[in-house]
Amino acid sequence: MGKIKLKNIKIHSNHGCLREEMLIGSDYRVDLEVTADLSKPAISDQLNETVDYVHLNNIIKEEMMVRSNLLEHVAKRIVDRIFLEIIEVTEVEVTVSKINPPIGGDVENVSVKLKITR
């Protein structure tokens, strides 16, 4: 087994329950870690035998553009899409963070982390 990680993917999107969040949006950061058997591509050096991190990044970007009220919902959609489209992945851990959330204080970010095994 092995892990592929994508860290600090920065995206602007319109998630949230507040009207302002829906209209002007916020900045987000996504971190992803997937587990898969990487023994074969480690030997073959063939892209078609591994989990393509470009594909993973595209899933994240596309799902982040679909507006949701809750970060939990966005994170679960990312996990579901990865499991649907990349059969080699056996576990996904995704963290979706809202940068400078509108919660009435000096808070760097709020995050939701999901870790789901197939």
Side-chain angles (χ1 to χ4, degrees):
M1 285 299 175
K3 295 187 183 287
I4 295 176
K5 298 179 182 182
L6 284 76
K7 292 186 177 182
N8 205 23
I9 301 166
K10 296 175 183 174
I11 299 172
H12 186 85
S13 192
N14 297 73
H15 307 297
C17 296
L18 300 176
R19 180 170 158 71
E20 295 80 16
E21 293 176 301
M22 294 178 202
L23 295 175
I24 62 173
S26 300
D27 292 323
Y28 294 84
R29 187 187 80 228
V30 179
D31 297 302
L32 178 73
E33 181 176 298
V34 299
T35 303
D37 183 355
L38 303 179
S39 59
K40 192 172 180 181
I43 295 168
S44 71
D45 196 29
Q46 297 298 312
L47 178 61
N48 66 343
E49 294 182 350
T50 194
V51 176
D52 185 353
Y53 51 79
V54 173
H55 188 178
L56 293 170
N57 189 56
N58 287 336
I59 289 171
I60 290 167
K61 289 191 305 186
E62 289 169 11
E63 291 304 324
M64 286 297 293
M65 290 300 105
V66 178
R67 205 198 79 70
S68 291
N69 289 328
L70 302 177
L71 299 180
E72 293 88 332
H73 190 253
V74 180
K76 181 68 165 71
R77 281 201 327 268
I78 291 169
V79 171
D80 289 348
R81 261 248 354 248
I82 291 169
F83 281 151
L84 178 68
E85 295 181 17
I86 308 173
I87 194 71
E88 296 85 3
V89 172
T90 58
E91 184 174 78
V92 176
E93 181 174 303
V94 63
T95 303
V96 179
S97 303
K98 182 182 289 190
I99 310 302
N100 297 317
I103 61 174
D106 186 12
V107 178
E108 181 179 320
N109 70 65
V110 295
S111 299
V112 168
K113 181 187 282 189
L114 292 182
K115 184 174 183 178
I116 301 175
T117 302
R118 187 189 302 261

